[in-house]
Amino acid sequence: MSINAEPLRKILQLEGEKGYLDSAVIGGLDRFLSRWTGQAVQSVTSPQLLRQFERLKLVNSNYASLTKQQRKEWVNKVFAFLPELERVEAGKVEVKPPQEKKEEEVTPPPVSRRRPAAKKRRAASGSIDSPITTLKGVSTTLAAKFKRLGVETVRDLLYFFPHRHLDYSQRKHISQLTEGEEQTIIANVWETKVVMPGGRRSTEAIVGDETGNVRVLWFNNPYLVKQLPTNSRVVLSGRVGLFNGRLVFESPEWELLEDKELVHTGRLVPLYSLTQGLHPRQVRKLMKEVVDQWAWQVEDFLPAELRQRCNLFELPQAIAQAHYPENEAAKDRARVSLAFDELFILQLGVLARKREWQEGQPGNSFNIKTPVLDAFLSSLPFELTAAQQKVLGEILADLKEPKPMSRLLQGEVGSGKTVVATAALLVGAASDYQGAFMAPTEILAEQHFANVCQLLSRAGEQVSEEENLRRYSGLLSRPLTVALLIGGMNQARKQEIQQLILSGDIDIIIGTHALIQKEVEFKRLGLAVVDEQHRFGVTQRSALRQKGFNPHVLVMTATPIPRTLALTLYGDLDLSVIDELPPGRQVVKTKWLKPAQRDSAYAFLRKQVAEGHQAFIICPLVEESEAIEAKAAVAEYERLSQEVFPDLSLGLIHGRMSVAEKDEVMHHFRSAELDILVSTPVVEVGIDVPNATVMLVESADRFGLSQLHQFRGRVGRGEEQSYCMLLAQNPSEIGRERLDLIGKIYDGFQLAEEDLRLRGPGEFFGTRQSGLPDLRMAKLSDVALLELARDEAIRLFGKDPTLKKPEHRLLAKELARVWQKGGEWS
Ligand code: ADP
Ligand code: MG
């Protein structure tokens, strides 16, 4: 139970003799100190002493950065502290709680006191990655309860942060107490007894200070009588109520005032999210011990210079202050420090992957100065918008490089992404590379095929039309060949097309993700365009690479992803945004209707149909299963066709139908044989039917803003004014807020930000996506912090791309640890 200060004393002496040049130990004084202090604090039980350690900066010292004069002063201060440390520690055995179980550890035999005790303590403590059962007082039963909270090791426990703090820091005298507030007093216990208000055995105490007395009642808890002896000093924190005209403390948190730091009262007190069988007081007490003893041993992996520049706490301090903050400011700074760590490691991870992707294997450099591009652009019936031009420029700049592009293109439905992608594919073909255009569904693949062919048909001359294949002359020195490959087509034709791809005869192949990744062998794949609803991550990209190609990759998404999420989920991609719609696009008038207005909604729909337009009706979301959802949709379809619109022709589409069935219905709708298309929300139909002018969404309050916005993007694609009507039975408060916002905001990005705010990141994509990083402290609203973390990560990689420098050793270790655990994040 003591500290060997001798080595430190010697080193400091030598340091003085050598003129404070930080040359007394190899590796510098800071490193020595962190080791010495790390061991020393394990034996320190007194909080006062620990604070002294901190004050003297023995913990996380920064000796190297001091001036000579400062070093001298500091060394002298530490010298003065050492005897005090040895004296106090040797005699301070009784500081520990009296009912300590391991008696022999508390009062070791007087002879050979030092060493064995210290050894024992260290042996008992083990490493920070040991299971929590190595902690004193943690049984396997308790450990099992923590396991349910995801806490298995000491490190997990240190990172098990409170979800909030109670502010019990406002100390009052008894005479200053006011009703209804959280307050803290320090008082003498005059008397305690068991009372029976409402038939419940409870503890009543009368406590007092120099300004007066107050009654305290712990309802339904008679046990405190024994724990609060008369004349003991007690700290009480909690609400004060009024009872029979007199102030009463109502079941306050309490603790005896001893020579220890307060844990439950009189400060910012942490509240942990607990599971059954874990009690707040028990957990707080354990956490305090663990934080005091172990936080100092967490290795700070951030380079010191970076930590200083960003004004962050040292990691041990950040952890300690996140649990038991000295004040609000320290609590906030602790959160920011820990959040930065998370985001920084995350960014290092995604950037490392990007590097690996771009430098692991050479890519293909395209010749972007090709006449085909100009011919294509000038053949378009419109000018590219400024945003399209900018994005195309960014893409072309990537394509001409020999390292593979990895770029995310965001743009709302109808913002003109397909045109830009087609231009990129053409440039690839002009350089004799094949391009793949992948869609999430077969319907969309077909639509892309139709769109691309239509765009090309203006620039080139179509020379042949075979099943699912087109050739255009006049663009390249040979005919440019475009083909569609989907599961639904006939087997023989599929094989023919696969053969043509392998022989290099097809320049642009359009299909679904699955087909292109799994079944197709290319001759010379140079560019993969991925139109995605969800994610096309590292795994998918490496699948392509394993086929021997290192293509440029362009991921396109119509879901406006808030910047924080984009940088987190797609941090390894460069970001391009088309933030402008082609001119003349109309706003889809959106209105939230009351249940009583259902009939007028149907009437409005009928009127639009009478004017020759078409309509969508989106059925409610059924979370349980696709089967139930489909069943509900069938019932709704029947009700609508028989009772509401018996004179119109209706079609139905749901997720349980085969691709062929869906295609057939879609075909009928597109050719206007159907007036109304009833659809489940799963079929987030990415279809282009300009004649559809009205959409009715059932149970609209259950959808996220981004999803509603996607829905209404299905109408308003033609010249006519279009409408979106939202029905909701009994919207919750958040539901109401969403319905209000969707009628007011027409900008997808702004809606996405609102969505994120209202729903949180987990649900942002409609379903909980696996692979979202486990962020405990960072919030997706921490935009500035995220940008800072990203900038710092880029800067660090600039200096030390492989993290091989000694000062980055710990960082490399932490990166490996987190990413191994976090798995596939992008
Ligand atoms: P996205 O793929 O982003 O949903 P598309 O590329 O399919 O959008 O474009 C939607 C429609 O707008 C298409 O009919 C397309 O021809 C047209 N379009 C694209 N760019 C422009 C533009 N700059 N001006 C006018 N119309 C455009
Ligand atoms: Mg599109």
Side-chain angles (χ1 to χ4, degrees):
M1 184 79 308
S2 74
I3 290 167
N4 185 2
E6 227 19 64
L8 179 58
R9 186 175 280 125
K10 283 213 184 99
I11 294 290
L12 292 182
Q13 210 162 356
L14 186 61
E15 176 67 9
E17 284 163 14
K18 289 188 156 197
Y20 304 102
L21 297 169
D22 199 7
S23 57
V25 274
I26 296 167
L29 213 57
D30 286 320
R31 236 171 93 191
F32 171 83
L33 276 168
S34 93
R35 225 175 312 126
W36 181 86
T37 311
Q39 292 188 357
V41 292
Q42 288 185 43
S43 339
V44 177
T45 48
S46 139
Q48 283 84 350
L49 265 189
L50 277 176
R51 228 172 289 148
Q52 195 64 16
F53 263 82
E54 246 184 291
R55 232 171 266 143
L56 281 172
K57 291 221 179 346
L58 278 164
V59 176
N60 302 315
S61 62
N62 206 352
Y63 187 78
S65 73
L66 302 180
T67 64
K68 233 186 243 181
Q69 185 56 32
Q70 289 170 320
R71 287 176 178 182
K72 192 170 164 189
E73 285 164 17
W74 182 82
V75 167
N76 286 336
K77 266 194 248 168
V78 177
F79 259 134
F81 171 58
L82 291 181
E84 185 192 339
L85 177 66
E86 286 163 319
R87 192 174 53 242
V88 174
E89 267 311 301
K92 199 72 192 214
V93 173
E94 66 278 11
V95 162
K96 296 197 108 189
Q99 67 278 54
E100 196 63 54
K101 280 189 204 110
K102 292 186 183 163
E103 283 299 328
E104 75 284 1
E105 199 182 305
V106 181
T107 46
V111 195
S112 79
R113 209 172 194 201
R114 298 184 152 202
R115 303 237 134 199
K119 227 189 244 161
K120 190 162 205 165
R121 170 66 76 124
R122 224 167 302 143
S125 27
S127 111
I128 191 166
D129 290 307
S130 325
I132 58 172
T133 43
T134 47
L135 297 171
K136 188 159 46 74
V138 178
S139 63
T140 43
T141 331
L142 187 60
K145 289 172 188 159
F146 270 109
K147 191 168 176 188
R148 263 184 268 154
L149 298 166
V151 174
E152 296 185 47
T153 65
V154 176
R155 185 194 299 274
D156 293 341
L157 204 51
L158 286 171
Y159 278 86
F160 180 61
F161 296 116
H163 59 91
R164 66 185 183 97
H165 289 85
L166 292 173
D167 188 353
Y168 286 158
S169 61
Q170 296 311 311
R171 253 197 65 193
K172 294 267 178 82
H173 287 299
I174 288 177
S175 64
Q176 297 170 312
L177 290 176
T178 44
E179 188 208 342
E181 278 177 38
E182 307 270 8
Q183 294 154 96
T184 293
I185 58 168
I186 298 181
N188 273 319
V189 178
W190 298 134
E191 174 189 12
T192 52
K193 61 179 182 218
V194 174
V195 291
M196 301 272 287
R200 299 297 185 115
R201 285 166 56 78
S202 307
T203 299
E204 183 191 78
I206 305 296
V207 304
D209 64 11
E210 60 276 20
T211 68
N213 295 336
V214 68
R215 196 159 79 95
V216 190
L217 187 69
W218 284 278
F219 191 68
N220 206 12
N221 179 355
Y223 312 105
L224 290 184
V225 169
K226 291 216 182 66
Q227 301 190 41
L228 297 170
T230 305
N231 282 328
S232 57
R233 299 270 288 161
V234 67
V235 190
L236 302 175
S237 288
R239 256 177 55 89
V240 177
L242 211 52
F243 190 71
N244 284 344
R246 305 183 59 177
L247 293 176
V248 180
F249 253 108
E250 295 163 346
S251 302
E253 275 295 347
W254 63 275
E255 65 191 305
L256 293 176
L257 190 64
E258 291 169 306
D259 185 18
K260 282 199 299 182
E261 253 188 273
L262 294 173
V263 175
H264 310 293
T265 61
R267 60 173 309 146
L268 288 171
V269 174
L271 281 183
Y272 295 96
S273 303
L274 301 179
T275 180
Q276 218 192 355
L278 283 177
H279 306 289
R281 284 179 77 89
Q282 168 195 27
V283 173
R284 276 205 289 266
K285 184 162 166 290
L286 176 67
M287 287 307 306
K288 186 75 175 79
E289 285 168 12
V290 170
V291 167
D292 285 347
Q293 293 232 351
W294 289 83
W296 318 108
Q297 297 184 53
V298 180
E299 290 178 311
D300 195 344
F301 50 84
L302 273 200
E305 151 269 337
L306 191 163
R307 222 175 244 295
Q308 260 162 22
R309 182 151 28 87
C310 300
N311 191 28
L312 306 168
F313 274 144
E314 313 272 344
L315 183 51
Q317 203 185 357
I319 292 175
Q321 293 292 327
H323 288 280
Y324 283 94
E326 263 160 41
N327 50 44
E328 285 288 337
K331 186 182 90 180
D332 293 344
R333 190 161 164 216
R335 189 197 76 83
V336 167
S337 303
L338 292 163
F340 179 89
D341 284 0
E342 290 176 343
L343 296 170
F344 184 66
I345 290 289
L346 186 67
Q347 289 304 318
L348 282 181
V350 291
L351 291 170
R353 294 199 163 198
K354 177 175 177 183
R355 248 177 49 88
E356 190 192 313
W357 163 252
Q358 294 196 322
E359 285 163 28
Q361 199 176 308
N364 317 304
S365 162
F366 290 4
N367 173 18
I368 61 164
K369 291 222 163 38
T370 160
V372 180
L373 183 60
D374 299 328
F376 173 71
L377 294 178
S378 53
S379 78
L380 293 173
F382 46 75
E383 292 269 310
L384 291 188
T385 62
Q388 281 172 313
Q389 281 175 23
K390 184 174 120 256
V391 165
L392 181 58
E394 290 165 352
I395 292 171
L396 292 175
D398 285 353
L399 294 180
K400 77 173 199 296
E401 296 299 327
K403 63 177 186 186
M405 164 170 79
S406 46
R407 188 168 283 280
L408 176 68
L409 171 54
Q410 282 187 275
E412 291 208 40
V413 174
S415 61
K417 299 184 294 296
T418 314
V419 184
V420 172
T422 308
L425 289 162
L426 261 182
V427 169
S431 293
D432 275 336
Y433 282 100
Q434 290 173 298
F437 193 166
M438 308 183 224
T441 65
E442 306 215 332
I443 299 180
L444 285 174
E446 283 180 279
Q447 192 174 298
H448 281 324
F449 180 65
N451 284 346
V452 169
C453 289
Q454 205 222 341
L455 288 169
L456 292 175
S457 66
R458 292 174 191 274
E461 189 189 336
Q462 187 177 319
V463 285
S464 87
E465 174 165 357
E466 302 161 38
E467 187 189 343
N468 293 339
L469 189 141
R470 307 276 181 281
R471 293 183 203 272
Y472 299 92
S473 68
L475 287 162
L476 307 176
S477 53
R478 55 187 162 80
L480 173 83
T481 311
V482 185
L484 174 71
L485 187 68
I486 51 177
M489 62 201 267
N490 93 48
Q491 206 54 33
R493 184 62 182 153
K494 203 158 122 187
Q495 277 168 10
E496 277 168 27
I497 289 191
Q498 281 170 348
Q499 194 49 48
L500 290 172
I501 297 170
L502 182 59
S503 65
D505 197 31
I506 290 176
D507 297 293
I508 299 174
I509 178 72
I510 300 173
T512 62
H513 296 173
L515 272 176
I516 291 182
Q517 282 166 51
K518 294 203 192 90
E519 295 178 20
V520 178
E521 295 298 328
F522 294 89
K523 178 149 185 251
R524 245 186 128 196
L525 181 65
L527 168 63
V529 177
V530 187
D531 186 12
E532 70 162 356
Q533 276 177 330
H534 295 293
R535 277 151 43 78
F536 186 76
V538 169
T539 331
Q540 287 88 340
R541 272 179 273 155
S542 22
L544 284 178
R545 205 153 60 158
Q546 268 149 29
K547 294 187 167 188
F549 307 103
N550 203 18
H552 296 291
V553 171
L554 179 66
V555 177
M556 306 201 297
T557 174
T559 315
I561 306 171
R563 187 164 169 75
T564 39
L565 256 189
L567 285 182
T568 313
L569 286 175
Y570 302 96
D572 56 336
L573 305 181
D574 295 306
L575 199 59
S576 286
V577 182
I578 303 186
D579 51 6
E580 159 185 32
L581 291 176
R585 285 288 154 80
Q586 35 141 329
V587 160
V588 176
K589 286 190 181 163
T590 304
K591 202 167 172 200
W592 167 25
L593 302 174
K594 303 277 145 19
Q597 291 171 286
R598 173 178 297 275
D599 284 339
S600 56
Y602 289 148
F604 184 79
L605 215 138
R606 180 179 286 286
K607 190 166 140 253
Q608 288 286 309
V609 171
E611 287 171 16
H613 301 308
Q614 289 162 280
F616 290 99
I617 296 181
I618 306 289
C619 297
L621 181 72
V622 179
E623 262 144 16
E624 291 81 46
S625 82
E626 201 177 59
I628 303 178
E629 186 166 77
K631 219 167 136 190
V634 172
E636 176 68 355
Y637 165 76
E638 278 167 6
R639 186 185 74 86
L640 289 168
S641 345
Q642 284 156 24
E643 295 168 24
V644 189
F645 304 110
D647 52 327
L648 302 182
S649 63
L650 277 67
L652 170 68
I653 197 162
H654 62 69
R656 275 292 165 116
M657 290 161 63
S658 72
V659 176
E661 287 169 324
K662 280 190 264 192
D663 269 356
E664 192 174 334
V665 177
M666 280 316 307
H667 179 78
H668 290 314
F669 190 60
R670 216 175 299 172
S671 61
E673 290 158 53
L674 297 173
D675 301 311
I676 299 175
L677 183 64
V678 180
S679 164
T680 53
V682 273
V683 189
E684 243 179 70
V685 268
I687 34 157
D688 210 345
V689 181
N691 191 42
T693 55
V694 58
M695 170 174 283
L696 176 68
V697 183
E698 292 282 355
S699 299
D701 55 316
R702 314 245 322 261
F703 297 107
L705 286 172
S706 294
Q707 214 176 352
L708 288 173
H709 187 62
Q710 294 276 322
F711 286 155
R712 78 176 159 192
R714 303 295 152 222
V715 293
R717 299 176 76 95
E719 311 274 281
E720 305 290 330
Q721 175 61 55
S722 297
Y723 306 87
C724 179
M725 299 182 286
L726 307 171
L727 281 170
Q729 276 309 327
N730 236 328
S732 66
E733 198 166 318
I734 288 186
R736 281 167 189 281
E737 195 172 344
R738 280 207 289 260
L739 294 168
D740 265 340
L741 288 170
I742 190 81
K744 282 189 215 136
I745 302 176
Y746 287 87
D747 175 79
F749 279 93
Q750 212 183 326
L751 282 171
E753 298 284 355
E754 294 287 347
D755 217 11
L756 190 60
R757 178 177 69 77
L758 290 172
R759 297 207 295 175
E763 283 176 76
F764 180 77
F765 287 99
T767 51
R768 276 188 178 279
Q769 291 249 337
S770 61
L772 263 179
D774 176 21
L775 298 177
R776 285 154 190 252
M777 283 298 193
K779 303 179 208 147
L780 284 153
S781 51
D782 285 332
V783 185
L785 196 63
L786 179 65
E787 306 264 2
L788 179 68
R790 188 169 174 86
D791 289 348
E792 289 292 346
I794 290 169
R795 181 168 170 165
L796 188 99
F797 271 140
K799 280 193 297 195
D800 184 9
T802 50
L803 301 186
K804 284 278 155 54
K805 292 192 179 171
E807 64 267 35
H808 299 147
R809 190 183 55 85
L810 291 178
L811 192 57
K813 201 170 122 194
E814 179 71 4
L815 187 63
R817 195 183 65 76
V818 171
W819 276 82
Q820 188 197 351
K821 218 169 97 184
E824 184 80 5
W825 278 350
S826 69

